[in-house]
Amino acid sequence: MIRTVIFAASLFVAVLAPGPGWAQTASTGALAGTIFDPRGAVVSEATVTATNESTGETRSVLSGPDGSYRIALLPPGSYTVQVNRAGFKLATRTGVAVVVTEVTTLNVQLDVGETVESVTVEAGEELVQIQSVTLGRVTSEREVRDLPLVTRNYTQILGLSPGIITNVTNATELGRGSSGLSGAAGDVHANGGRTADNNFQMNGVQINDLAGAGSASGGVAIPNPDTIREFKVQTALYDAAFGRGGGANVNVVTKSGSNDFHGNLFHFFRNRALNANDFFFNLAGQPKPVLNQNQFGGTLGGPVRKDKLLFFTSYQGTRQRNGAAAGCSSSALLPPFTDDRSPAAIGALFAGRRGVFPTQFGVGPTIQADGSNINPVALKILQVKRPDGGYVIPTPQGLDPSRPLDSRGFAVFSDPCRFDEDQGMFNFDYIQSDRGTISGRYFIADSTQRVTMPAGSLPGFPQQMYQRFQNLTLSYNYSLSSNLFNELVVGFHRVASRVRQSSAFSYSSVGATVSSFYDDLPYIIISGCCNLGGGSPITHIQNTYTIQDSLSWVKGRHTIRLGGSVSRLQYNVRDFRFVGQLNFLSWPDFLMGLDAARNGTGPAPVPDFSNIIASVDFIGLSDRNWRVWEAAGYIQDDFKLFSRLTLNLGLRYERLGHLGEDQGRNAVFDTGRAVATPPAEGTLAGFVVSSNYPG
């Protein structure tokens, strides 16, 4: 797929101030405004210098003939702005906030006097973004730090931005939670779009989840709140410098070091004493499940060499034991089994009953009262115990005599899941000169997760998941002249996720004969009750390599930005094995387990229906090495027609190619090419494979 996006011309009136152009990227902001004298006339050739109050980095430009100035590609932060012009006093504004993807407007009036005299004003109120028609909102460091985040996951507050719809955060979710996942598990929608349409970037480089397989593929990287400087969610009308997806652009910027040492230590905790019990656990007379979480760590930033080399580093550890989340607790409606799992006890419960289809047609044998004709495989499954001594198919905790036999019993289960994560970040900024800065950002997070009841199963089928996120960004921000700025960014993002599945029994251990490919992965569904089994083992490895460049040129009344990016995306699938799935419509079907000939529904004219209503499997070469190139190019001209009217013109080209498999293992079936009456020896007509297919 190749998509070309053209941003049409749009007009907007800046009522409060003139409208100079935009000049920012996914990891930077900009500063713009107009210089006036006391009579309101514009002042040209005034020197405007912005100094980052944390790092000491400076940037200087000259105001143009119309008094306007623009300082592009500024790292987010608090700035001191000085305006100097012969015949006027030095004007200083402190505490000027520059935020990611936005242009801060700062108009300055100079007072007549000697340049040795100065007038200093502290920025006392928030400066409103009036330069852009882009819909979106910056969430500041303080908001990220102070708002209650259940698992310290910043994506849980993306819904504060206009146009974003999210689910209410579930306080019992395991690990990082579902917010920030893509695919069906994700819950962040911009203006009704799909979660896959969103584009997440950290420090200017995309960190998207290509697989979109929910928690199995990991989602996006989640740095802890004490690491985040701010993030911006753009939901609509963003200019040609931004693109890729049609949904939200989420731009996260992490913290930098400063000329002073700063740091903190933190510890956040939750435990069962602070929680209420679940409704169904109360109903079954069970104690409230475990929900203990400890998140601890700290940050440290400061100078290696003042005004030259600065660093910032952080660590967060998470230790969660969770028996309340989905996958860590479950419930089931059961027959009134007891701990007597003999054939006679089970036969007495179900005596005289048949499966769903034999009953419908009134044919076939019934379950004997002594249990003598119960399928031996079903009997062994009923007798399998977990390591803790409980039955895999449990004895109900309560009975309701008013309900049908198959659902007369009720039981709830809580087997605490475990989530452990250690994450760290190291950032540096090397201020090469007052014209250039080299910055580096490295993030890593390792987690181990054990889900005790995946896919809503009964206890006994735990799933283990191991994940690693890595993100490296190197950028070079350089002022070629007072009106020409450039930012070069090189980035690498990697997500590695490995899922392993365990089972309380194998098919061979209970006497069933199946392929060795599925033997250790039983998955049995009994309608109206429960699942016996977990998920499929799989390994996802995703790599994204990106290089991008942005050039901003201020020329008269034009602010011209142009740039582009090239990305190489890799998605490797390894070790996938599907479960051996059997479906039963009722408990008598499960207990009988007969084929159609023996349960009376076959042969014709009676339809053939085994007691196993369906079996599901998957075989083949499952390893995949998906590859794709992505590229984008744009040009944006913000042309100030009048002092209060700016014309924004932009053109963007976006190439989002199809994922291709490097071993040629892509294949589909085209019914239009199929042979209606195939020859006796068979035919491959209709099968379509990749051009690099080796067969």
Side-chain angles (χ1 to χ4, degrees):
M1 174 179 63
I2 299 178
R3 298 196 318 195
T4 303
V5 183
I6 299 177
F7 289 78
S10 62
L11 298 176
F12 66 96
V13 178
V15 177
L16 299 179
W22 308 337
Q24 69 286 333
T25 64
S27 61
T28 64
L31 184 64
T34 305
I35 311 302
F36 299 96
D37 67 13
R39 298 174 300 171
V42 298
V43 178
S44 62
E45 297 186 357
T47 301
V48 183
T49 302
T51 303
N52 190 307
E53 294 175 355
S54 295
T55 67
E57 181 183 0
T58 63
R59 192 81 60 77
S60 296
V61 298
L62 293 175
S63 61
D66 59 353
S68 65
Y69 70 94
R70 303 154 181 86
I71 307 179
L73 306 178
L74 291 173
S78 181
Y79 284 80
T80 295
V81 179
Q82 291 186 322
V83 182
N84 187 18
R85 179 70 162 87
F88 297 93
K89 297 178 181 178
L90 176 67
T92 303
R93 301 291 185 269
T94 62
V96 179
V98 173
V99 298
V100 65
T101 78
E102 291 188 3
V103 178
T104 298
T105 300
L106 179 67
N107 299 321
V108 178
Q109 177 180 301
L110 299 179
D111 293 333
V112 177
E114 298 296 327
T115 55
V116 294
E117 301 178 88
S118 65
V119 177
T120 302
V121 177
E122 183 176 354
E125 61 184 37
E126 185 176 355
L127 297 170
V128 180
Q129 166 68 8
I130 62 174
Q131 306 292 338
S132 167
V133 294
T134 301
L135 296 180
R137 181 180 185 275
V138 171
T139 302
S140 68
E141 171 187 353
R142 180 177 178 182
E143 291 173 299
V144 177
R145 185 183 65 244
D146 293 349
L147 286 172
L149 301 175
V150 175
T151 54
R152 287 173 58 79
N153 180 341
Y154 79 91
T155 64
Q156 292 169 354
I157 54 175
L158 295 182
L160 297 177
S161 299
I164 295 290
I165 300 297
T166 64
N167 293 331
V168 176
T169 299
N170 185 343
T172 67
E173 286 188 312
L174 178 65
R176 292 176 291 268
S178 63
S179 187
L181 299 179
S182 59
D187 63 357
V188 179
H189 304 270
N191 302 314
R194 303 179 306 160
T195 58
D197 291 333
N198 299 326
N199 182 33
F200 284 82
Q201 299 181 92
M202 184 160 68
N203 298 315
V205 173
Q206 64 165 297
I207 55 171
N208 298 303
D209 180 0
L210 306 176
S215 60
S217 56
V220 301
I222 307 293
N224 77 76
D226 289 76
T227 298
I228 296 174
R229 167 75 195 186
E230 63 195 25
F231 69 85
K232 171 72 177 288
V233 183
Q234 298 174 309
T235 55
L237 300 177
Y238 33 84
D239 68 48
F242 302 94
R244 190 177 190 276
N249 268 310
V250 182
N251 306 296
V252 181
V253 178
T254 59
K255 292 182 179 178
S256 302
S258 65
N259 277 321
D260 298 309
F261 285 101
H262 294 282
N264 71 328
L265 297 173
F266 57 82
H267 183 199
F268 299 86
F269 77 95
R270 304 170 64 190
N271 62 33
R272 182 159 49 178
L274 304 175
N275 302 329
N277 202 2
D278 179 88
F279 171 83
F280 294 103
F281 280 79
N282 274 328
L283 182 66
Q286 299 299 304
K288 55 188 174 182
V290 172
L291 183 50
N292 297 334
Q293 176 178 280
N294 292 273
Q295 291 183 288
F296 51 87
T299 67
L300 178 65
V304 176
R305 179 182 174 189
K306 279 195 173 185
D307 296 325
K308 203 68 178 176
L309 182 59
L310 312 172
F311 78 94
F312 173 85
T313 187
S314 75
Y315 165 78
Q316 175 179 276
T318 299
R319 306 291 183 266
Q320 187 184 104
R321 302 296 178 265
N322 190 330
C328 313
S329 62
S330 66
S331 61
L333 296 174
L334 299 157
F337 292 122
T338 67
D339 287 344
D340 183 355
R341 299 298 173 94
S342 65
I346 298 169
L349 277 177
F350 293 94
R353 294 185 59 185
R354 304 182 179 98
V356 170
F357 286 108
T359 298
Q360 179 179 335
F361 295 107
V363 296
T366 62
I367 297 175
Q368 299 297 307
D370 61 0
S372 58
N373 65 340
I374 292 176
N375 190 296
V377 174
L379 183 62
K380 284 190 176 182
I381 293 174
L382 281 166
Q383 294 172 343
V384 171
K385 289 187 175 182
R386 304 188 304 269
D388 63 4
Y391 286 106
V392 169
I393 297 178
T395 299
Q397 299 158 350
L399 298 175
D400 184 353
S402 66
R403 296 185 61 86
L405 177 69
D406 289 7
S407 59
R408 189 170 296 169
F410 178 73
V412 297
F413 320 97
S414 175
D415 186 2
C417 299
R418 185 185 75 243
F419 177 83
D420 296 335
E421 182 186 65
D422 295 287
Q423 66 163 256
M425 174 161 270
F426 180 78
N427 299 343
F428 77 87
D429 295 276
Y430 174 60
I431 304 173
Q432 186 181 29
S433 67
D434 59 357
R435 299 180 64 181
T437 300
I438 300 173
S439 300
R441 307 285 186 261
Y442 178 68
F443 172 80
I444 184 171
D446 281 325
S447 65
T448 302
Q449 179 172 291
R450 182 179 186 270
V451 180
T452 54
M453 287 172 273
S457 67
L458 294 176
F461 304 89
Q463 186 180 88
Q464 297 78 36
M465 187 181 303
Y466 311 93
Q467 291 180 339
R468 168 172 284 187
F469 291 86
Q470 288 176 282
N471 182 268
L472 173 65
T473 304
L474 296 173
S475 64
Y476 184 38
N477 200 313
Y478 191 73
S479 298
L480 299 169
S481 67
S482 63
N483 64 346
L484 191 61
F485 311 95
N486 192 77
E487 182 188 48
L488 174 66
V489 179
V490 178
F492 168 70
H493 183 67
R494 178 181 175 89
V495 184
S497 180
R498 183 161 58 99
V499 179
R500 295 294 176 263
Q501 179 64 49
S502 302
S503 299
F505 63 90
S506 64
Y507 277 121
S508 59
S509 71
V510 295
T513 302
V514 300
S515 166
S516 59
F517 193 76
Y518 309 108
D519 183 49
D520 60 337
L521 294 174
Y523 194 88
I524 298 173
I525 299 176
I526 303 172
S527 295
C529 171
C530 44
N531 301 339
L532 302 176
S536 297
I538 191 170
T539 297
H540 301 273
I541 301 173
Q542 305 177 59
N543 298 314
T544 303
Y545 303 87
T546 302
I547 182 169
Q548 58 195 39
D549 192 79
S550 301
L551 183 69
S552 178
W553 181 33
V554 179
K555 181 66 174 177
R557 292 186 293 173
H558 296 268
T559 297
I560 300 172
R561 284 177 295 134
L562 66 156
S565 65
V566 176
S567 297
R568 178 64 167 171
L569 282 61
Q570 301 174 342
Y571 171 35
N572 301 325
V573 179
R574 298 285 184 273
D575 311 319
F576 175 73
R577 289 195 298 134
F578 197 71
V579 297
Q581 182 175 328
L582 300 176
N583 291 27
F584 298 89
L585 291 180
S586 68
W587 281 100
D589 280 307
F590 171 74
L591 293 172
M592 296 290 283
L594 300 175
D595 60 26
R598 290 188 294 165
N599 71 15
T601 63
V606 179
D608 293 345
F609 288 106
S610 164
N611 289 119
I612 302 174
I613 190 60
S615 64
V616 184
D617 57 24
F618 172 90
I619 59 174
L621 299 174
S622 59
D623 286 1
R624 294 291 185 271
N625 302 309
W626 304 103
R627 302 289 184 267
V628 67
W629 287 98
E630 290 185 357
Y634 71 89
I635 183 169
Q636 177 82 20
D637 182 12
D638 303 305
F639 177 35
K640 190 168 72 170
L641 291 172
F642 309 109
S643 62
R644 295 183 180 273
L645 184 63
T646 300
L647 180 65
N648 305 121
L649 299 169
L651 175 68
R652 181 181 182 88
Y653 173 82
E654 191 93 34
R655 182 192 187 278
L656 302 180
H658 282 298
L659 283 166
E661 214 279 324
D662 69 352
Q663 299 297 311
R665 292 176 177 173
N666 301 3
V668 296
F669 187 78
D670 184 351
T671 56
R673 302 185 184 192
V675 177
T677 306
E681 66 273 14
T683 176
L684 294 176
F687 288 95
V688 181
V689 298
S690 302
S691 60
N692 61 333
Y693 177 66

